[in-house]
Every structure is written in C-alpha cells, then in structure tokens.
Amino acid sequence: MTSPVRLALLGCGTVGSEVVRLLHEQSADLAARIGAPLEIAGIAVRRLGRDRGDLPVDPALFTTDPLGLIKSDDVDVVVEVVGGIEPARGWLVEALRAGKSVVTANKALLAEDGAALHDAAAEGGGDLYYEASVAGAIPLLRPLRESLHGDRINRVTGIVNGTTNFILSAMDATGAGFAEALEEATELGYAEADPTADVEGFDAAAKAAILASLAFHTRVGAADVHREGITEVTAADVASAKAMGCTIKLLCIAARGADATGRETVSVRVHPAMIPLSHPLAGVGDAFNAVFVEAEAAGQLMFYGRGAGGAPTASAVLGDVVAVARNRLAGVRAASESAYADLAVRPMGEALTRYHISLDVADRPGVLAAVAGVFARHDVSIATVRQGPAGGGAAGRGEDADLVIVTHVAPDAALAATVRELRGLDIVRSVASVLRVEGGL
Ligand code: NDP
Ligand code: HSE
C-alpha cells in the first residue's frame, strides 16, 4: 500500500471528536477505499487541558498551534471543524494556497467569504470540499455540484436548520409558545447556549447562500440572502395555520426568475412560511432537515436526513476526506468552483410570494370594502377572506371582528406596502400576524 495521506484536524469538539472516532473505527475500510491509509498528523484545539473522554487518539497529537500544523510539509489535507470567520479564514487560505486540500463544515465562513477560499484553492491546486456545511449528513452538495450538472435547477426549497425545525414542530405538536419550545430544544441539546444564529435565521441564511451558489452557478453570499427568523412566530400563528390545513416551517428558498427587464436573476430568502400539510416538507419534523430540488429534466427531487449532530456531520466530513484523498493519490483535483452564470440577485421586494394576514378590525358596515380597497390599490389580489367574531368566539355582531386574508402571488414589496397601509387604518385595530404562504393552498 502507498504511503499514508496525512490529515491536520482543526477542532475537536462535537464534530471533530466524531471525526476522530470514525477515523479510528473505520481505518481499515477507509484505507481500502482510498488505496492508502489515513493518518492524523495533529489536532489543533483551543484548550489542551480539556477532558476529551476516551477519544481513541494519541494525546501527543494535540496542539494549540493550528498554523504550525497547517504549514507542516507532513500534512496533505486540512480538515476544519472549528467554525467562525476568523481565524478559520486565514488558516484555510494559507492551507489552500500551499496546495493542500481542505475539507470544512464551516458554513458561516463559506457564506461570508467563499470566494477567498475558492480563489485560494484555484491558486494552490488543491481541493475544497464542504459537504457537511449544509444539512449535515445529507448528501446534497455533491449531487448539486456533480450529479445535476447536466441539468438546469430552477428552485431549491429547504428546511436546513434543525434547531428551528425542532422548535416549530414542538409548537405545532403541543401548542407551546416560542419561548417554551426553545427551552425544550435547549434542554435536549439541540439549541446552543446562544441560539441567536439559529432562531434569527443566520445559520439557515448561510446555508441558503451555499445552496444558491451551487444550484445557479453564481457567487451568492450571506449578505445577498433576505433573512427573517422564527422569534416572532406565535402559538396563535401556529393554530391559525393548523385551522387552514397548514404548518409553519422556516424555509430557505432559492429560485430563478426574471427581473422587470426580463433579465434572468436569482432570489434567495429565509423566512418562516405556512405550507399546506400536503407539501413534501410539511412532514419533516423534529430536528430533521430536508431539501426539495426542482430541476428542468430531473423534475422534483427530495433529500432528507439528519442535518446536525456530531456523528451525522462527521459522516459527511469523512466522505469528503475520502474524495480528496483519492484525488491526491490520483494526482487530480475536482472541478473547480462553477460561477460562470454570474446571475444578479433580485431584491426581496421583487420576490413573488403570498401572504396570510390576520387583522383585528372594527365590526361595522363598509370595513371589508375598505380593507379590500387597500389590497386593490397595491395591485394585490385576494384569494380568500375569512371573517369571524374577535377572538374566534360565537358568531354575532360585536365591536370587533377577526379577518383572515390570504392573497394570490404578488411582489413582496406590494404585499409589505399593503400591510403598512392596513396598519394605518383606524378601522384596523391591529395586524395580528403576517406570514408568507408557500407551496399552494
Ligand atoms: P464545537 O464548538 O463543538 O468545537 C469547536 C472546536 O474548535 C473545539 O475543539 C475547540 O477547541 C476548537 N477551537 C475553537 N477555537 C479554536 C482556536 N482558536 N484554535 C484552535 N482550536 C479552536 O463546534 P462543532 O463541532 O459543533 O462545530 C464545528 C464546525 O462544524 C462549525 O463550523 C459548525 O458550524 C459546523 N457544523 C456543526 C454541526 C453540529 O451539529 N455541531 C453540524 C454542521 C456543521 P476546544 O476543544 O479546546 O474547545
Ligand atoms: N445549529 C445547526 C442546526 C447545526 O440546528 O441545524 C447544523 O448546521
């Protein structure tokens, strides 16, 4: 057998420790699949003294000098499972420029400055693989960047954040409020001590940027993604969705479309949305992820599985390690970044969406007509209207009434302007909730 492929592992936390365990447990199989054994040259961590349980690795391999490890001639492949923008960006650019191959799970860095990594890989001639960065264990990026390269992808719709899917699923199942469901997610170890990146949609937005870049051959960064989290979703919204045969999910949606001049563009957004129970993503519960891809020739494809956790994520990391190790032995590199289409990213205001709007209005003649007039002024067509007594009680004429309006598809800016004007009407006591609707109703 040929000489070993030597790995520098940066990070040995939730994901890194599982990478170490899998490398140990499957060493013979991995060597057979690659044609050479994999060896850990060193493991960079922040705290040398941290208790790492009975990790099957020589303690002498740990170091607090990641750059020294990366620069070592002895290292062929750098596996980064630390996270964050800096110092990870500096490490990976250094490694790639030096011709090493890199495997990373760092979605935040890829979405913030994937260009720096791709450019460095092109300069150094090594591989850059990042399957674990989106949807954990689910083989998704490889199909997008290889298997579907003969096709034209039109739309990618996904649930790509496990923590928020757990929270929304719990709210749906038990009627709990957001805070209560977040507490449960934290107790079960899904949500981080600081859950901001998850519940405010930053994590999903980073993943949306990565998916859109691959699907549309265009560099899309985190700043291009319209982002809304789930902190404003209430138990009443969930109940209202249920009453309409829907559920609420935090969706990432990346879609081709034309702008006002007919030029082809992409729109990329992350926000909570009502989807009908018949939608393929509606049944994705707990902390699972799923991504629905619509392509011209392939039609509809669905990818489903565990999007987070040490072992599932390590599975994706190891798959990449095998691929880059094989490439190095064969003296080849994978196809480089494909960004030739260079499509413009459409502003959110131009995205075509539908709204579900709950209003608390005065219950008197002419109110419905006045409300309908606001929609008409903004060229937004109403699909359905449901009116009941305020608070959903027994029918009858009282002071206030609840009005639930679902629109047809319209530009998001027109819908937002409609809601703004509704808020200013004296007959509208309050706009109780505004949710986008996806996937037909
Ligand atoms: P952890 O916080 O569990 O682990 C981070 C590791 O990085 C620790 O070993 C830590 O050292 C080390 N580290 C932190 N700062 C430095 C530094 N300055 N120098 C050297 N080492 C450092 O993170 P995760 O394992 O959860 O996540 C790793 C990456 O994988 C992130 O990019 C994350 O987004 C991504 N990811 C995570 C998933 C998950 O389910 N956890 C799923 C998909 C992707 P020490 O051990 O000494 O603290
Ligand atoms: N915090 C992320 C999630 C981890 O909940 O999906 C996986 O990327």
Side-chain angles (χ1 to χ4, degrees), residues 397-422:
R397 189 145 166 207
E399 293 281 294
D400 291 355
D402 286 340
L403 210 51
V404 177
I405 296 171
V406 180
T407 71
H408 284 299
V409 166
D412 198 78
L415 289 158
T418 306
V419 172
R420 263 198 310 277
E421 191 176 335
L422 288 171

Side-chain angles (χ1 to χ4, degrees), residues 12-15 45-47 50 52 81 83 105-107 309 313:
C12 192
T14 306
V15 179
V45 292
R46 193 174 29 192
R47 296 163 288 174
R50 181 178 174 184
R52 299 185 194 276
V81 279
N106 194 336
K107 60 245 172 174
T313 310

Side-chain angles (χ1 to χ4, degrees), residues 132-197:
S133 65
V134 183
I138 307 173
L140 172 63
L141 303 194
R142 206 78 61 81
L144 290 180
R145 83 185 219 177
E146 292 177 10
S147 326
L148 286 163
H149 259 203
D151 207 336
R152 176 182 161 89
I153 295 172
N154 289 322
R155 189 178 169 97
V156 179
T157 311
I159 293 171
V160 291
N161 183 268
T163 305
T164 47
N165 201 47
F166 178 86
I167 292 171
L168 292 172
S169 301
M171 288 172 76
D172 189 78
T174 65
F178 170 76
E180 202 184 323
L182 171 61
E183 207 171 297
E184 192 185 350
T186 310
E187 271 164 24
L188 289 169
Y190 290 119
E192 312 253 342
D194 176 4
T196 312

Side-chain angles (χ1 to χ4, degrees), residues 40-55:
I40 300 180
I43 305 175
V45 292
R46 193 174 29 192
R47 296 163 288 174
L48 278 183
R50 181 178 174 184
D51 178 9
R52 299 185 194 276
D54 53 359
L55 209 58

Side-chain angles (χ1 to χ4, degrees), residues 1 22-38:
M1 198 173 263
L22 289 179
L23 278 169
H24 175 76
E25 284 175 4
Q26 298 181 22
S27 63
D29 282 332
L30 291 169
R33 289 170 201 166
I34 293 166
L38 293 172

Side-chain angles (χ1 to χ4, degrees), residues 158-241:
I159 293 171
V160 291
N161 183 268
T163 305
T164 47
N165 201 47
F166 178 86
I167 292 171
L168 292 172
S169 301
M171 288 172 76
D172 189 78
T174 65
F178 170 76
E180 202 184 323
L182 171 61
E183 207 171 297
E184 192 185 350
T186 310
E187 271 164 24
L188 289 169
Y190 290 119
E192 312 253 342
D194 176 4
T196 312
D198 292 318
V199 298
E200 295 291 0
F202 290 101
D203 178 78
K207 293 165 176 170
I210 296 168
L211 289 175
S213 300
L214 291 172
F216 304 122
H217 306 272
T218 290
R219 281 184 173 173
V220 178
D224 297 315
V225 182
H226 173 86
R227 174 196 55 78
E228 293 170 31
I230 64 163
T231 52
E232 307 285 309
V233 177
T234 63
D237 291 334
V238 174
S240 178

